[in-house]
Amino acid sequence: MVNEALEARISKIVFWVLLLVAVVVTPWWNLDPINLPKLLVLSAGVLFLVGNVGFAALRGLGRGQGFLYLSFVVIVFLSSLIGKRYFFGQFYGDFGRMTGALCYAVLLLLFVSLAASGSGVVAKRVVLALALAGVVNLVYALVQHLGWDPVDWSNPYNPILGTFGNPNFISAFLGIVASVGIVYLIDSGTRWVFRLVILGCVGLAIFLIDASVSVQGFGVITGGLVLALYMRFVHGKKLVYRASYQVVVVVGFLFLLLGTLQRGPLKGVAYQASVTYRGDYWRAGIEMLMKHPFLGVGMDSYGDYYRASRTEAAALRRGPDVVSNSAHNVFLDIASNGGFLLLFAYVGILGLVIYSAWSLLKKMNGYDPLVVALVVAWVGYIGQSAISINQNGLATWGWAMGGVIVGLKNSGYSGVVSAKKVDYREVPASRVIGGSVGLVVGLVLALPIFIKDVQFRSALQSLDAARIEKVATGFPATSYYLDYAAGTLARNKGLEDVGLRLAKEAAKLNPRDFSAWQLIYSNPKVSLVDRADAVLKMKALDPFNMTIKP
């Protein structure tokens, strides 16, 4: 545990880290203006937080929790080192996702730091950060809906993206924000002026979720509403009332589940064509897990194995070139990436959160909106993660909420939040120094891929072939930039040889990179021998693709 001055400092750090991860975007600098800047802020901010919390507090978590956390991070890096994919592809993750070993490591450190220092003060700051990030995204999403977005996004989706880069992600995030709003809306202690503001925000969130044409947000709100109403009006009542409410909820859930499968009265509301496609992705993830049960295929390597792991029906359903680099289910992503070992460690962490949440709710005296808000937000994230991609901006909230819940349980939270002023001079100098060291380490880890992306975009805009090649082949080596450069240069007359050289380098770096072999095959300067070899490699990587011909 930490003293009050350090607790206040940690709460402020957590507030700014969570807020910045949620809202930061860099569309004028990066090819990936969403996930890369979020990873940079997350890495630097979380390690700055770890340094301030201190290792003494982390050791105070106990052997059981310590073993669970250590197991998770060790398996993540073992999978990255032993996996067949090149290291940096697993360390940073796929372009456009950035959920590799680094991301999972800092998410765990965020969780552990909050589990070690979580308190009512920290919890309030976390909820406040969520509320402010929610307001920013409500305003920006409305601007996007009205067609006034100042950023010209490269966006094939619905225009409502918020600062999360995808309609599904912003829908889920607004669903979490609206759920937390409902928790305070039904609290008798909330003043009417705030209730009116919250009601307006919840209404706007529902409108924007509907306009995003993504049902994820409605699913999150429904789950949050059910839980919030139970804790406000049913919790602590007679068994008959609790049982009746639970039966209604279970029956409603079953109807909703049947609706997603095109059965029952809710099929017109719950079903989307994407459900069928998700089934294809889930089956492929299970296939990877069964073939690589211990340490999986490597962190963020799902895309390298998808073509070989999907069924023939999946290849025919939407065409062989429609692929995915995610199982669209975080549990299956983790399982396919790190095997059963990583899945068990992850489920163990979730089990710890569930136990802590249950303990807090059970001993809750009356209705504590702070505890209920944290649990509702965490449950909303977990529900969304079961049907969607692990976007690092959203994942930050899930891991943060889980860590705070465990932290409240560890600290013996009793419903009272200290409001007295503190003297920041009481913060130990060692924590300030430790935070500075952590910040530097976080930047060192995440800056290389961020800078490379900035440089590569600049090189593309310069139309300088030599510069494009230099950046693509520079540190850190990733197949995405090599593929992009190879394809771009091969389409320019007189540069086909350079494009072929880069495509071969990409294939050498990552032999499971289907795009690299495709670029080799289609290059006009490729030899007959290399073309034939590329065909064999593509057939091995994508056995159900009937369009591959010599």
Side-chain angles (χ1 to χ4, degrees):
M1 294 294 102
V2 296
N3 63 41
E4 290 180 341
L6 184 55
E7 177 186 63
R9 177 180 171 85
I10 289 171
S11 70
K12 288 187 176 182
I13 294 171
V14 171
F15 172 86
W16 285 109
V17 170
L18 294 181
L19 178 61
L20 289 175
V21 170
V23 303
V24 66
V25 291
T26 54
W28 299 279
W29 301 343
N30 292 96
L31 282 179
D32 178 359
I34 303 293
N35 303 285
L36 273 171
K38 292 185 188 305
L39 178 65
L40 177 62
V41 173
L42 183 64
S43 177
V46 168
L47 286 172
F48 179 58
L49 172 65
V50 169
N52 277 274
V53 170
F55 289 107
L58 298 181
R59 286 198 301 269
L61 290 171
R63 292 184 179 180
Q65 288 189 38
F67 177 78
L68 182 61
Y69 305 144
L70 184 61
S71 296
F72 182 89
V73 75
V74 166
I75 296 167
V76 163
F77 282 100
L78 271 178
S79 176
S80 301
L81 292 169
I82 297 174
K84 295 180 180 179
R85 198 183 199 203
Y86 63 104
F87 177 72
F88 284 118
Q90 298 184 75
F91 184 72
Y92 290 119
D94 261 0
F95 180 88
R97 281 172 42 76
M98 297 293 118
T99 49
L102 176 60
C103 180
Y104 274 106
V106 294
L107 286 174
L108 178 72
L109 288 173
L110 173 63
F111 182 99
V112 173
S113 298
L114 292 173
S117 61
S119 65
V121 173
V122 174
K124 284 189 69 173
R125 288 278 184 165
V126 169
V127 173
L128 181 60
L130 178 68
L132 187 53
V135 170
V136 170
N137 272 277
L138 283 171
V139 172
Y140 187 34
L142 181 60
V143 168
Q144 292 173 324
H145 176 67
L146 295 173
W148 300 342
D149 194 339
V151 179
D152 183 20
W153 296 102
S154 177
N155 169 31
Y157 310 109
N158 184 289
I160 297 178
L161 307 173
T163 58
F164 289 84
N166 182 290
N168 287 324
F169 300 149
I170 186 61
S171 174
F173 179 71
L174 292 181
I176 292 172
V177 172
S179 297
V180 171
I182 290 170
V183 169
Y184 285 92
L185 187 65
I186 62 177
D187 176 30
S188 60
T190 302
R191 288 188 288 177
W192 281 105
V193 63
F194 288 123
R195 286 189 181 182
L196 290 175
V197 172
I198 292 170
L199 186 61
C201 290
V202 171
L204 180 57
I206 292 173
F207 170 77
L208 291 170
I209 290 170
D210 182 62
S212 73
V213 198
S214 170
V215 300
Q216 289 189 22
F218 288 126
V220 173
I221 290 176
T222 301
L225 180 63
V226 166
L227 182 55
L229 290 176
Y230 179 84
M231 297 309 303
R232 175 67 177 87
F233 300 108
V234 183
H235 178 68
K237 298 294 191 295
K238 292 181 179 180
L239 177 61
V240 64
Y241 296 115
R242 300 200 308 271
S244 299
Y245 189 89
Q246 291 163 5
V247 168
V248 171
V249 169
V250 170
V251 171
F253 175 77
L254 290 176
F255 275 120
L256 186 63
L257 182 61
L258 287 172
T260 63
L261 301 174
Q262 290 185 289
R263 299 286 188 274
L266 297 180
K267 64 180 181 180
V269 177
Y271 176 76
Q272 288 187 322
S274 61
V275 173
T276 301
Y277 308 146
R278 277 178 169 78
D280 293 333
Y281 304 146
W282 294 353
R283 282 185 286 272
I286 293 171
E287 176 71 8
M288 293 176 208
L289 176 61
M290 293 298 102
K291 288 188 174 180
H292 306 270
F294 295 109
L295 291 172
V297 298
M299 299 307 297
D300 231 3
S301 297
Y302 178 97
D304 286 348
Y305 287 80
Y306 174 72
R307 290 175 181 268
S309 301
R310 64 183 171 184
T311 62
E312 184 175 7
L316 295 174
R317 198 184 318 278
R318 302 173 70 192
D321 290 328
V322 178
V323 296
S324 175
N325 61 3
S326 166
H328 289 69
N329 177 298
V330 172
F331 293 89
L332 283 176
D333 267 335
I334 287 174
S336 60
N337 289 179
F340 281 110
L341 293 178
L342 188 59
L343 177 63
F344 291 156
Y346 180 64
V347 171
I349 292 172
L350 298 188
L352 178 61
V353 179
I354 293 171
Y355 169 74
S356 300
W358 175 262
S359 299
L360 290 170
L361 294 173
K362 189 175 180 179
K363 74 173 187 178
M364 190 169 62
N365 184 20
Y367 179 76
D368 187 338
L370 180 60
V371 172
V372 176
L374 292 168
V375 174
V376 162
W378 183 78
V379 170
Y381 165 72
I382 294 300
Q384 178 271 344
S385 73
I387 60 169
S388 192
I389 295 170
N390 195 27
Q391 201 265 351
N392 56 20
L394 269 178
T396 299
W397 291 104
W399 286 78
M401 295 297 178
V404 173
I405 290 170
V406 175
L408 289 180
K409 170 65 172 58
N410 288 341
S411 65
Y413 172 74
S414 61
V416 179
V417 180
S418 174
K420 65 180 182 180
K421 294 183 179 180
V422 298
D423 185 352
Y424 284 96
R425 288 175 297 182
E426 295 179 9
V427 175
S430 61
R431 303 298 176 87
V432 177
I433 295 172
S436 301
V437 172
L439 177 65
V440 172
V441 172
L443 290 172
V444 168
L445 291 174
L447 263 177
I449 191 67
F450 181 88
I451 292 173
K452 177 162 186 165
D453 190 71
V454 172
Q455 291 176 337
F456 191 72
R457 172 174 169 165
S458 176
L460 290 174
Q461 293 172 337
S462 74
L463 303 179
D464 184 336
R467 186 178 170 192
I468 293 173
E469 181 181 8
K470 180 181 179 180
V471 176
T473 56
F475 176 86
T478 71
S479 57
Y480 173 80
Y481 298 105
L482 289 170
D483 287 344
Y484 198 133
T488 300
L489 297 178
R491 289 190 294 270
N492 287 269
K493 192 172 183 179
L495 296 174
E496 297 91 344
D497 286 331
V498 181
L500 180 59
R501 183 169 66 247
L502 292 177
K504 287 183 176 181
E505 190 166 338
K508 182 179 179 181
L509 178 68
N510 180 15
R512 298 196 67 89
D513 180 5
F514 185 88
S515 295
W517 295 111
Q518 202 170 39
L519 287 166
I520 293 172
Y521 170 84
S522 62
N523 192 290
K525 293 297 182 70
V526 68
S527 68
L528 292 177
V529 173
D530 286 343
R531 185 186 294 252
D533 184 49
V535 168
L536 292 176
K537 293 294 194 304
M538 286 191 291
K539 283 185 175 293
L541 294 173
D542 195 358
F544 296 120
N545 189 341
M546 297 298 104
T547 65
I548 301 173
K549 297 179 181 179

